[in-house]
């Protein structure tokens, strides 16, 4: 129940930073340095303590903010790893970081597409084309944003600011932004891919030369985006195989692909056949709401 966390606190006026130590005791935050009053910014989703990405707010003195922390993870009472991370908080939300993060993410997507093109990775959905020619970059960007946004917050908070929060984390942390993110289904990394799916795609697209180790592969943003592109292509191939060339003209085709990314292509095939939205899980319905919005997000 006790954990020490080192915080790098910046004075935004002097641009000087210092290290202070805080302690977590159950749900309480104990700040030993009397000069500082620090609290945790509670999120709408109910999250307070959020590990290495806990949002600390400096209430006193003014014009100070937490720019990084040193966080130790434990297993059975023993330290397992030390993480140095720049946690998101509303106080650190700056336009410069939004732009920096947007440039970073879009740059990694461009790199992934360039690598797939250079390796001449063929599409399974359209064998006469490359996978990079079949899957739109805008679709991958919308999925990258959707995967990192809490659905409850999406329906109740400013959607533009939520996307900016994702960009800020990229702007703060670069390649480490979502390395440690694991979903309840054990999906990992910036594109939230699960172990079995990753290895399946790696075997089906050997020319892509995806990193063999799952943890390393999902920690590499370019490799992770490549896997996501190929997963979308593979799901599209299954949809096309089931419903023929005509499905390529369906105005909801991209939504079918996005839904298959979130759930399984088997469920999506059943939905297309029955035209019954109830075949989608509630989570997937919410996911499509996010996808529709961020597909057109500027």
């Amino acid at each position: 129940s006790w954990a020490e966390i080192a915080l790098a606190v910046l004075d935004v006026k002097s641009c000087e930073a210092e290290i202070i130590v805080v302690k977590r005791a159950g749900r309480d935050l104990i700040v030993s340095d009397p000069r500082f009053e620090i609290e945790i910014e509670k999120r709408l989703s109910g999250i307070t303590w959020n590990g290495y990405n806990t949002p600390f707010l400096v209430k006193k003195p003014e014009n100070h903010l937490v720019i990084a922390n040193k966080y130790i993870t434990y297993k059975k009472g023993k330290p397992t790893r030390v993480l140095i991370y720049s946690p998101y908080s509303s106080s650190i939300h700056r336009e410069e970081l939004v732009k920096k993060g947007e440039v970073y993410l879009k740059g990694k997507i461009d790199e992934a597409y360039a690598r797939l093109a250079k390796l001449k990775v063929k599409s399974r959905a359209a064998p006469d084309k490359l996978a990079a020619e079949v899957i739109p970059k805008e679709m991958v960007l919308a999925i990258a944003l959707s995967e990192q946004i809490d659905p409850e917050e999406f329906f109740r908070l400013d959607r533009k600011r939520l996307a900016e929060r994702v960009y800020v984390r990229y702007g703060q942390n670069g390649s480490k932004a979502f390395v440690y993110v694991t979903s309840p289904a054990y999906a990992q990394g910036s594109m939230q891919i699960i172990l079995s799916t990753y290895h399946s795609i790696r075997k089906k697209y050997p020319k892509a030369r995806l990193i063999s180790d799952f943890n390393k592969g999902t920690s590499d943003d370019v490799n992770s985006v490549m896997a996501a592109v190929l997963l979308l292509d593979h799901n599209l191939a299954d949809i096309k195989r089931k419903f023929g060339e005509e499905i390529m003209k369906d105005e909801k085709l991209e939504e079918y692909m996005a839904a298959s990314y979130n759930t399984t292509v088997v469920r999506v095939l059943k939905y297309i056949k029955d035209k019954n939205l109830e075949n989608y899980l509630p989570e997937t319905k919410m996911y499509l709401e996010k996808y529709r919005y961020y597909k057109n997000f500027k």
Side-chain angles (χ1 to χ4, degrees), residues 43-45 88 93 98 144-170 178 290 293-294 297:
R43 287 172 53 178
L44 179 65
S45 60
Y88 175 86
H93 195 117
V98 173
L145 293 173
S146 299
E147 287 290 340
Q148 304 300 341
I149 292 173
D150 181 273
E152 182 181 357
E153 293 183 334
F154 174 79
F155 286 104
R156 297 176 63 186
L157 296 180
D158 184 322
R159 296 175 177 185
K160 178 176 181 291
R161 189 171 177 84
L162 289 173
E164 289 180 350
R165 183 166 73 190
V166 176
Y167 284 143
V168 167
R169 288 182 68 181
Y170 278 117
F178 297 100
K290 290 192 289 182
Y293 180 83
Y294 293 116
F297 177 70

Side-chain angles (χ1 to χ4, degrees), residues 11-72:
D11 181 332
V12 296
K13 286 191 172 181
S14 69
C15 292
E16 293 181 355
E18 62 180 302
I19 308 297
I20 68 168
V21 175
V22 298
K23 290 183 179 181
R24 173 186 175 178
R27 294 186 177 183
D28 297 326
L29 180 67
I30 299 172
V31 183
S32 56
D33 191 323
R35 297 174 300 152
F36 290 91
E37 182 182 328
I38 299 175
E39 64 182 36
I40 298 170
E41 183 175 32
K42 187 175 181 179
R43 287 172 53 178
L44 179 65
S45 60
I47 296 173
T48 49
W49 284 101
N50 194 24
Y52 62 90
N53 194 39
T54 298
F56 295 102
L57 294 178
V58 181
K59 306 298 288 186
K60 189 180 73 173
E62 294 182 349
N63 301 309
H64 284 69
L65 51 85
V66 174
I67 57 172
N69 68 38
K70 186 175 183 179
Y71 184 88
I72 302 172

